[in-house]
Amino acid sequence: MPQGFFITFEGLDGSGKSTQLRKLAQWLEERGESCLVTRQPGGTRIGDRIRALLLDSHTEAVSPMAELGLMFSDRAQSIAEVIRPALNAGKIVLCDRYTDSTEAYQGGGRQLGSEIVRQLHKVMCGGLNPDLTLLLLPDLRRSLQRARRRNHRNASRQGTDEGRFESEDESFYQRVFDQYREIARREPLRVVAIESDEDIERIHERIVNIVEERLAHRT
Ligand code: TYD
């Protein structure tokens, strides 16, 4: 049985990570790889409900600890129901956000600190770490503008409301950004940071090169 490979995409809202994830999935499938694409929060029935609760801008007064707990509850469900079975079946799992998001947003943004996030990760995620994390860090202000425009568009077209995080101020996002950089500094083997405003195709090429190289060394 071939071993699975776990890739996560990370970055600020509007960093282009979801677009890059889709393009990588397509590239892998064209090469004959069997992929599973998922996201957090969400990707399971329980997770989708947690997602709706957490991202709805009408959800008020969530305590940072409650938010932290919900992110990990979502993740534990996703690991049990989606990620572990796919890895066990030898698939390449592409996940849009994982524990680094919690360390950046709740640890950094909400100022709960990294330690608690890392402890919870150990307990709730059973030590499941990505084989590779692609961290997209283009310019902070440009990312936020893109995310806000998209949320307004989705809200008016589809009636979805996922704007709770995007309504945070810039200092929140600066802390998220700084924490992401710190994670990349701490774990240079797992995390590849792409701090670039290049166009979608150029970044896709860079990602493909990184993934090809890592897959060649897959055990
Ligand atoms: P996502 O749908 O990936 O947003 P976007 O497409 O705008 O990047 O993620 C939803 C939001 O949830 C995003 O603002 C980040 C936040 N989030 C956390 O705060 N902590 C977490 O652990 C995760 C997974 C997401």
Side-chain angles (χ1 to χ4, degrees):
M1 170 73 71
Q3 266 212 313
F5 197 82
F6 185 22
I7 303 177
T8 58
F9 278 74
E10 293 283 353
L12 294 188
D13 314 66
S15 60
K17 67 183 165 42
S18 309
T19 305
Q20 291 298 340
L21 187 153
R22 275 195 303 276
K23 287 179 76 68
L24 179 64
Q26 200 181 347
W27 181 83
L28 285 166
E29 265 153 22
E30 280 163 10
R31 274 180 36 134
E33 297 280 0
S34 171
C35 294
L36 181 132
V37 172
T38 189
R39 67 172 177 182
Q40 293 180 1
T44 63
R45 282 178 64 164
I46 291 175
D48 287 341
R49 295 176 76 174
I50 294 176
R51 180 182 178 92
L53 181 68
L54 280 171
L55 302 195
D56 187 336
S57 60
H58 297 98
T59 303
E60 284 172 359
V62 187
S63 89
M65 281 296 180
E67 186 177 277
L68 177 69
L70 286 168
M71 292 296 180
F72 272 109
S73 299
D74 164 73
R75 188 159 303 127
Q77 187 66 29
S78 163
I79 290 170
E81 203 178 312
V82 176
I83 298 176
R84 277 273 187 221
L87 290 175
N88 289 344
K91 294 189 181 179
I92 297 179
V93 174
L94 303 180
C95 188
D96 196 339
R97 298 191 180 282
Y98 191 64
T99 298
D100 295 325
S101 282
T102 316
E103 188 175 341
Y105 283 77
Q106 281 65 51
R110 300 269 188 246
Q111 299 179 289
L112 294 177
S114 291
E115 198 40 45
I116 187 169
V117 176
R118 300 183 73 190
Q119 282 178 13
L120 282 172
H121 175 73
K122 238 186 242 162
V123 177
M124 306 258 320
C125 304
L128 179 64
N129 288 319
D131 296 297
L132 171 67
T133 295
L134 296 156
L135 169 59
L136 300 189
L137 284 181
D139 178 71
L140 173 66
R141 279 173 203 94
R142 293 247 291 271
S143 299
L144 290 185
Q145 270 169 9
R146 261 202 304 266
R148 287 184 179 128
R149 267 202 309 272
R150 181 192 53 200
N151 270 338
H152 287 147
R153 222 175 27 237
N154 289 350
S156 56
R157 276 192 202 152
Q158 300 158 6
T160 52
D161 177 353
E162 294 201 335
R164 195 170 71 85
F165 282 94
E166 274 92 349
S167 59
E168 292 294 335
D169 63 14
E170 209 169 298
S171 60
F172 175 90
Y173 278 101
Q174 187 64 55
R175 290 195 296 277
V176 175
F177 191 90
D178 293 344
Q179 191 60 47
Y180 267 136
R181 273 202 167 144
E182 171 57 24
I183 296 169
R185 198 195 53 73
R186 188 180 72 212
E187 291 182 63
L189 287 181
R190 174 177 66 86
V191 182
V192 178
I194 302 177
E195 295 200 26
S196 156
D197 282 292
E198 285 170 326
D199 65 37
I200 292 175
E201 289 306 324
R202 279 289 302 136
I203 292 187
H204 174 61
E205 274 171 36
R206 287 174 65 167
I207 288 177
V208 160
N209 288 337
I210 296 162
V211 170
E212 243 181 340
E213 210 240 303
R214 295 292 176 108
L215 288 179
H217 295 106
R218 182 167 32 163
T219 44

